[in-house]
Amino acid sequence: MSGQTFGGWPAELHDTPDQQKRIASAKKAETSPSSVDAETQTGIFPGSGKKPYTTSLTRCTCQFFHAKGVPCKHMYRLAMELGIFDGVFQTGLNKNERAIRQIYWKDAVEQIEALPEPCQ
């Protein structure tokens, strides 16, 4: 990977073991963005809280970036999606989108019981 970079980060940073873990996480389907704007080079990633993460090549609103100040998996994924950082990534449902779509068992039962009997 040597020599690759984006957003003004030093190329050697991406070769450290910790950043290699971030890069591996970025390639997974569960890190898929909700949207990517190629013109502004920004992306939106579902977060573990109520608000999604707003990501650019230099900043991210996720806790990891605020704590460490180095590229997070969202920033790497954005760079990959934009084609400016090599990485074969998987696409799919983000793990946090899955959680948002889930409903409680009790609510599911109530919804099913509200249907006409033939539909249940």
Side-chain angles (χ1 to χ4, degrees), residues 1 3 5 8 16 26 40 42 46 60-61 64 70 72 79 84 90 102 107 118:
M1 271 227 192
T5 196
T16 65
T40 62
T42 58
C60 185
T61 58
F64 175 85
V70 295
C72 63
I84 57 177
Q90 302 169 344
Q102 292 176 340
D107 294 336

Side-chain angles (χ1 to χ4, degrees), residues 10-108:
E12 58 273 6
L13 172 68
H14 309 304
D15 291 329
T16 65
D18 284 343
Q19 290 308 101
Q20 287 294 309
K21 290 178 190 175
R22 304 285 162 283
I23 293 167
S25 291
K27 294 177 181 181
K28 296 180 180 178
E30 49 270 3
T31 308
S32 293
S34 298
S35 65
V36 172
D37 185 330
E39 187 176 320
T40 62
Q41 295 189 322
T42 58
I44 303 295
F45 290 81
S48 54
K50 291 185 179 186
K51 289 186 174 185
Y53 301 135
T54 302
T55 307
S56 73
L57 299 173
T58 58
R59 302 193 62 73
C60 185
T61 58
C62 76
Q63 186 62 34
F64 175 85
F65 179 76
H66 283 282
K68 303 289 184 182
V70 295
C72 63
K73 65 184 177 183
H74 310 108
M75 295 166 75
Y76 281 113
R77 180 58 177 260
L78 176 62
M80 290 176 199
E81 294 270 350
L82 293 171
I84 57 177
F85 193 84
D86 287 341
V88 177
F89 55 87
Q90 302 169 344
T91 58
L93 189 60
N94 185 294
K95 65 180 178 181
N96 293 308
E97 283 181 318
R98 198 174 305 126
I100 292 168
R101 293 181 183 168
Q102 292 176 340
I103 63 171
Y104 291 104
W105 174 256
K106 179 183 169 192
D107 294 336

